[in-house]
Amino acid sequence: MSAPYYAVIFTSLRTEGDQGYAQAAERMLTLVQEQPGFLGVESARGADGLGITVSYWSSEAAILAWKQHPEHRAIRERGRSTWYAHCHTRVCKVERDYAFQRQT
């Protein structure tokens, strides 16, 4: 990935129990990888249920197309009604990025 590109930062606090969450998350990961403009994703969730997922996109138009995808829209609604006690989405333009990798 070379800048500029966009990052969608999704933070969430899960409710207790799976209630189909793992299966839906797996489906969304498969589906998003097919979307034009999708560059990648990183995700982590703590034992306390707090999660952060950052997806990377080539353009704001690609982000909007994903947001409007019917299957993704349905899963977002289920997230609000069932899986999340709280969630927050931020969309950012990445102007620069830096990386380091230790050589062995």
Side-chain angles (χ1 to χ4, degrees):
M1 245 179 306
S2 62
Y5 55 90
Y6 293 84
V8 177
I9 305 165
F10 178 72
T11 56
S12 62
L13 181 61
R14 283 286 317 275
T15 56
E16 292 195 30
D18 182 81
Q19 303 177 67
Y21 178 84
Q23 183 179 358
E26 185 176 313
R27 172 63 185 147
M28 288 300 99
L29 182 57
T30 299
L31 188 61
V32 75
Q33 291 171 347
E34 300 170 358
Q35 301 310 300
F38 175 74
L39 302 174
V41 65
E42 298 170 318
S43 190
R45 186 167 299 280
D48 61 355
L50 179 65
I52 301 173
T53 298
V54 183
S55 59
Y56 301 100
W57 299 87
S58 62
S59 67
E60 288 186 274
I63 295 167
L64 184 58
W66 173 240
K67 183 179 182 182
Q68 294 174 344
H69 188 285
E71 196 172 343
H72 181 226
R73 184 180 300 195
I75 288 298
R76 279 199 328 271
E77 289 306 315
R78 186 152 181 221
R80 291 179 181 133
S81 69
T82 306
W83 298 316
Y84 300 124
H86 167 81
C87 59
H88 193 149
T89 303
R90 299 164 182 90
V91 178
C92 311
K93 184 174 184 182
V94 178
E95 298 285 345
R96 289 179 298 285
D97 65 14
Y98 307 92
F100 168 81
Q101 183 171 344
R102 183 173 306 278
Q103 301 297 315
T104 56

